[in-house]
Short mmCIF file of all heavy atoms in Angstrom, two decimals:
data_model
loop_
_atom_site.label_atom_id
_atom_site.label_comp_id
_atom_site.label_asym_id
_atom_site.label_seq_id
_atom_site.Cartn_x
_atom_site.Cartn_y
_atom_site.Cartn_z
N LEU A 237 117.74 188.86 181.50
CA LEU A 237 118.76 189.44 180.63
C LEU A 237 119.95 189.95 181.43
O LEU A 237 121.11 189.78 181.03
CB LEU A 237 118.15 190.57 179.80
CG LEU A 237 119.13 191.33 178.88
CD1 LEU A 237 119.74 190.39 177.85
CD2 LEU A 237 118.41 192.49 178.19
N LEU A 238 119.68 190.56 182.57
CA LEU A 238 120.76 191.07 183.41
C LEU A 238 121.61 189.94 183.97
O LEU A 238 122.84 190.07 184.10
CB LEU A 238 120.19 191.91 184.56
CG LEU A 238 119.42 193.17 184.16
CD1 LEU A 238 118.83 193.84 185.40
CD2 LEU A 238 120.32 194.15 183.41
N LEU A 239 120.98 188.81 184.29
CA LEU A 239 121.73 187.65 184.77
C LEU A 239 122.65 187.12 183.68
O LEU A 239 123.82 186.80 183.93
CB LEU A 239 120.77 186.56 185.23
CG LEU A 239 119.76 186.92 186.32
CD1 LEU A 239 118.84 185.74 186.60
CD2 LEU A 239 120.46 187.36 187.60
N ASP A 240 122.13 187.01 182.46
CA ASP A 240 122.94 186.52 181.34
C ASP A 240 124.11 187.45 181.05
O ASP A 240 125.22 187.00 180.77
CB ASP A 240 122.07 186.38 180.09
CG ASP A 240 121.09 185.22 180.17
OD1 ASP A 240 121.40 184.23 180.87
OD2 ASP A 240 120.03 185.30 179.53
N GLN A 241 123.86 188.75 181.11
CA GLN A 241 124.92 189.72 180.86
C GLN A 241 126.03 189.60 181.89
O GLN A 241 127.22 189.65 181.55
CB GLN A 241 124.35 191.13 180.86
CG GLN A 241 123.49 191.46 179.66
CD GLN A 241 122.85 192.83 179.74
OE1 GLN A 241 122.79 193.45 180.81
NE2 GLN A 241 122.34 193.32 178.63
N ALA A 242 125.65 189.44 183.15
CA ALA A 242 126.65 189.29 184.20
C ALA A 242 127.47 188.02 184.01
O ALA A 242 128.70 188.04 184.11
CB ALA A 242 125.98 189.29 185.58
N ALA A 243 126.80 186.91 183.71
CA ALA A 243 127.50 185.64 183.51
C ALA A 243 128.48 185.74 182.35
O ALA A 243 129.63 185.28 182.45
CB ALA A 243 126.50 184.51 183.27
N GLU A 244 128.03 186.33 181.25
CA GLU A 244 128.91 186.47 180.09
C GLU A 244 130.15 187.29 180.43
O GLU A 244 131.26 186.97 180.00
CB GLU A 244 128.14 187.12 178.94
CG GLU A 244 128.82 187.03 177.59
CD GLU A 244 129.92 188.08 177.39
OE1 GLU A 244 129.80 189.16 177.99
OE2 GLU A 244 130.86 187.82 176.62
N ALA A 245 129.96 188.34 181.23
CA ALA A 245 131.09 189.19 181.61
C ALA A 245 132.06 188.44 182.52
O ALA A 245 133.29 188.55 182.37
CB ALA A 245 130.59 190.46 182.29
N PHE A 246 131.54 187.65 183.45
CA PHE A 246 132.42 186.88 184.34
C PHE A 246 133.21 185.83 183.57
O PHE A 246 134.35 185.54 183.91
CB PHE A 246 131.60 186.21 185.45
CG PHE A 246 131.35 187.09 186.64
CD1 PHE A 246 130.07 187.53 186.93
CD2 PHE A 246 132.39 187.47 187.47
CE1 PHE A 246 129.83 188.35 188.03
CE2 PHE A 246 132.17 188.29 188.56
CZ PHE A 246 130.89 188.73 188.85
N VAL A 247 132.61 185.24 182.54
CA VAL A 247 133.30 184.21 181.76
C VAL A 247 134.32 184.83 180.80
O VAL A 247 135.48 184.42 180.75
CB VAL A 247 132.27 183.36 180.98
CG1 VAL A 247 132.99 182.45 179.98
CG2 VAL A 247 131.44 182.52 181.93
N SER A 248 133.89 185.82 180.04
CA SER A 248 134.73 186.34 178.96
C SER A 248 135.91 187.16 179.46
O SER A 248 136.83 187.44 178.69
CB SER A 248 133.88 187.19 178.00
OG SER A 248 133.32 188.31 178.66
N ASN A 249 135.92 187.53 180.73
CA ASN A 249 137.03 188.32 181.27
C ASN A 249 137.91 187.52 182.22
O ASN A 249 138.68 188.09 182.99
CB ASN A 249 136.50 189.56 181.97
CG ASN A 249 135.86 190.54 180.99
OD1 ASN A 249 136.54 191.17 180.20
ND2 ASN A 249 134.54 190.61 181.01
N GLY A 250 137.83 186.20 182.14
CA GLY A 250 138.62 185.35 183.03
C GLY A 250 140.05 185.16 182.54
O GLY A 250 140.42 184.06 182.11
N TYR A 251 140.85 186.19 182.62
CA TYR A 251 142.25 186.14 182.19
C TYR A 251 143.18 186.24 183.40
O TYR A 251 142.83 186.83 184.42
CB TYR A 251 142.56 187.27 181.21
CG TYR A 251 141.97 187.05 179.83
CD1 TYR A 251 140.65 187.41 179.55
CD2 TYR A 251 142.72 186.46 178.82
CE1 TYR A 251 140.10 187.20 178.30
CE2 TYR A 251 142.18 186.25 177.56
CZ TYR A 251 140.87 186.62 177.30
OH TYR A 251 140.32 186.40 176.06
N SER A 252 144.36 185.68 183.24
CA SER A 252 145.31 185.64 184.36
C SER A 252 145.78 187.03 184.77
O SER A 252 146.29 187.20 185.88
CB SER A 252 146.52 184.78 184.00
OG SER A 252 147.18 185.27 182.83
N GLU A 253 145.61 188.01 183.90
CA GLU A 253 145.92 189.39 184.29
C GLU A 253 145.11 189.79 185.52
O GLU A 253 145.62 190.49 186.41
CB GLU A 253 145.59 190.33 183.13
CG GLU A 253 145.73 191.81 183.45
CD GLU A 253 145.11 192.70 182.39
OE1 GLU A 253 144.25 192.21 181.62
OE2 GLU A 253 145.47 193.88 182.35
N LEU A 254 143.85 189.36 185.57
CA LEU A 254 142.98 189.67 186.70
C LEU A 254 142.99 188.57 187.75
O LEU A 254 142.65 188.83 188.91
CB LEU A 254 141.54 189.89 186.21
CG LEU A 254 141.31 191.07 185.26
CD1 LEU A 254 139.86 191.09 184.81
CD2 LEU A 254 141.68 192.38 185.93
N LEU A 255 143.33 187.35 187.34
CA LEU A 255 143.24 186.19 188.23
C LEU A 255 144.58 185.45 188.27
O LEU A 255 144.66 184.26 187.91
CB LEU A 255 142.13 185.25 187.74
CG LEU A 255 140.72 185.84 187.75
CD1 LEU A 255 139.90 185.31 186.58
CD2 LEU A 255 140.03 185.53 189.07
N PRO A 256 145.64 186.11 188.71
CA PRO A 256 146.96 185.46 188.69
C PRO A 256 147.09 184.26 189.61
O PRO A 256 147.95 183.40 189.39
CB PRO A 256 147.91 186.59 189.13
CG PRO A 256 147.05 187.53 189.92
CD PRO A 256 145.71 187.48 189.26
N ASP A 257 146.23 184.18 190.63
CA ASP A 257 146.33 183.09 191.61
C ASP A 257 145.26 182.03 191.43
O ASP A 257 145.08 181.18 192.30
CB ASP A 257 146.26 183.66 193.03
CG ASP A 257 147.45 184.54 193.35
OD1 ASP A 257 148.55 184.26 192.84
OD2 ASP A 257 147.28 185.53 194.09
N ARG A 258 144.54 182.06 190.31
CA ARG A 258 143.50 181.06 190.06
C ARG A 258 143.74 180.37 188.72
O ARG A 258 144.07 181.01 187.72
CB ARG A 258 142.10 181.71 190.04
CG ARG A 258 141.66 182.38 191.33
CD ARG A 258 141.46 181.40 192.48
NE ARG A 258 140.42 180.43 192.23
CZ ARG A 258 139.16 180.57 192.67
NH1 ARG A 258 138.79 181.66 193.34
NH2 ARG A 258 138.27 179.63 192.44
N LEU A 259 143.55 179.05 188.68
CA LEU A 259 143.56 178.30 187.43
C LEU A 259 142.14 178.12 186.90
O LEU A 259 141.93 178.08 185.69
CB LEU A 259 144.22 176.93 187.64
CG LEU A 259 145.69 176.94 188.04
CD1 LEU A 259 146.18 175.52 188.28
CD2 LEU A 259 146.53 177.62 186.96
N THR A 260 141.19 178.00 187.82
CA THR A 260 139.79 177.86 187.45
C THR A 260 138.93 178.60 188.47
O THR A 260 139.39 178.93 189.57
CB THR A 260 139.33 176.38 187.42
OG1 THR A 260 139.42 175.84 188.74
CG2 THR A 260 140.17 175.57 186.44
N TYR A 261 137.67 178.82 188.12
CA TYR A 261 136.67 179.31 189.07
C TYR A 261 135.31 178.84 188.57
O TYR A 261 135.14 178.51 187.40
CB TYR A 261 136.72 180.83 189.24
CG TYR A 261 136.57 181.64 187.97
CD1 TYR A 261 135.33 182.16 187.59
CD2 TYR A 261 137.67 181.90 187.17
CE1 TYR A 261 135.20 182.91 186.44
CE2 TYR A 261 137.55 182.65 186.01
CZ TYR A 261 136.31 183.15 185.64
OH TYR A 261 136.17 183.89 184.49
N GLN A 262 134.35 178.79 189.49
CA GLN A 262 133.03 178.25 189.17
C GLN A 262 131.94 179.32 189.30
O GLN A 262 132.04 180.19 190.17
CB GLN A 262 132.68 177.09 190.09
CG GLN A 262 133.59 175.89 189.97
CD GLN A 262 133.08 174.72 190.79
OE1 GLN A 262 131.89 174.41 190.81
NE2 GLN A 262 133.99 174.05 191.49
N TYR A 263 130.94 179.20 188.46
CA TYR A 263 129.78 180.07 188.61
C TYR A 263 128.51 179.26 188.35
O TYR A 263 128.52 178.18 187.76
CB TYR A 263 129.84 181.26 187.66
CG TYR A 263 129.45 180.94 186.24
CD1 TYR A 263 128.13 181.07 185.80
CD2 TYR A 263 130.41 180.49 185.32
CE1 TYR A 263 127.77 180.77 184.50
CE2 TYR A 263 130.06 180.19 184.02
CZ TYR A 263 128.75 180.33 183.62
OH TYR A 263 128.39 180.02 182.33
N ARG A 264 127.39 179.79 188.83
CA ARG A 264 126.08 179.20 188.56
C ARG A 264 125.06 180.33 188.45
O ARG A 264 125.10 181.29 189.22
CB ARG A 264 125.66 178.24 189.69
CG ARG A 264 124.36 177.48 189.40
CD ARG A 264 124.00 176.54 190.55
NE ARG A 264 125.06 175.58 190.82
CZ ARG A 264 125.18 174.41 190.19
NH1 ARG A 264 124.32 174.07 189.26
NH2 ARG A 264 126.17 173.59 190.51
N ILE A 265 124.15 180.20 187.47
CA ILE A 265 123.05 181.15 187.32
C ILE A 265 121.77 180.48 187.82
O ILE A 265 121.43 179.39 187.39
CB ILE A 265 122.83 181.58 185.86
CG1 ILE A 265 124.15 181.89 185.16
CG2 ILE A 265 121.90 182.78 185.80
CD1 ILE A 265 123.99 182.20 183.69
N VAL A 266 121.08 181.16 188.71
CA VAL A 266 119.86 180.62 189.30
C VAL A 266 118.70 181.56 188.98
O VAL A 266 118.73 182.75 189.31
CB VAL A 266 120.00 180.48 190.83
CG1 VAL A 266 118.67 180.11 191.46
CG2 VAL A 266 121.07 179.44 191.17
N SER A 267 117.69 181.02 188.32
CA SER A 267 116.47 181.80 188.03
C SER A 267 115.44 180.86 187.45
O SER A 267 115.70 179.67 187.23
CB SER A 267 116.77 182.93 187.04
OG SER A 267 116.75 182.46 185.71
#
Side-chain angles (χ1 to χ4, degrees):
L237 176 61
L238 297 176
L239 303 177
D240 288 332
Q241 288 176 344
E244 193 280 331
F246 275 112
V247 170
S248 62
N249 292 289
Y251 286 85
S252 58
E253 174 193 20
L254 297 176
L255 297 145
D257 295 327
R258 298 294 297 264
L259 297 177
T260 64
Y261 56 97
Q262 297 187 43
Y263 78 92
R264 186 180 302 274
I265 316 175
V266 172
S267 83

